[in-house]
Amino acid sequence: MNIFALEIWDDEGKKCTFYTVRWEDGKESQTDKFFNKYDAIPELKTATQQMLSFVLDSLGDDHGAIDALFNRPENEVTGLPNTGKVTVKQVMFTYPNFPLRLYALRINNRNDIVVLFNGGVKSSWTNQESKDIHLKWVEACQFAKRIEEALRDGEIIIDEGKRKMRSANNGEEIFL
């Protein structure tokens, strides 16, 4: 796998800090690619805005990356949004036949640091059969494996008090 940067995507939420990945020579993060691409497609604009609201409002501000909202495990990553009908603090989260998947990795047990990857249109029952997302899902799983390995090996350190990650040399720039 080539070198990629692990960087903050949004850290303004009350409950969760979001990171994303960007290829070392890339101009745009994987998460920005997802939102920019699907927001520009008229028939997916509403779904894209719903996904953005789910991430920033429901996860970032209201609930954090709790199990109930991260209930779609897909190998090393989780597919967002949640599956089924989920009620959290009297709010029901249900996304029947939702056309998009965004892949994510929860970093710590406090559910307050999440890495967002790319995603796409869910056109088939499985990721392997969905032409638009299969390669993005595989890539997200590879990113997740490398990040988890770096956490185990001490290349990345979690600063729980600040809901941040940093490199082992105390820098905020993290390249893997």
Side-chain angles (χ1 to χ4, degrees), residues 113-169:
I113 300 175
V114 172
V115 180
L116 299 172
F117 302 108
N118 203 333
V121 175
K122 180 73 171 185
S123 60
S124 296
W125 185 251
T126 68
N127 289 332
Q128 292 84 349
E129 296 168 350
S130 291
K131 188 170 94 174
D132 185 56
I133 62 170
H134 178 72
L135 291 177
K136 293 170 189 157
W137 169 67
V138 169
E139 185 178 62
C141 289
Q142 291 172 339
F143 283 131
K145 284 180 190 176
R146 180 64 187 103
I147 292 166
E148 288 176 335
E149 176 184 300
L151 285 162
R152 274 192 311 275
D153 293 347
E155 291 176 70
I156 299 174
I157 298 165
I158 298 172
D159 186 338
E160 301 269 353
K162 295 182 180 177
R163 287 188 347 215
K164 303 251 185 207
M165 292 187 285
R166 56 184 169 81
S167 66
N169 66 4

Side-chain angles (χ1 to χ4, degrees), residues 87-107:
T87 302
V88 180
K89 296 183 181 175
Q90 301 177 338
V91 176
M92 182 180 289
F93 293 90
T94 182
Y95 298 92
N97 304 314
F98 196 75
L100 298 174
R101 287 290 180 279
L102 177 63
Y103 297 108
L105 172 67
R106 289 191 294 186
I107 294 297

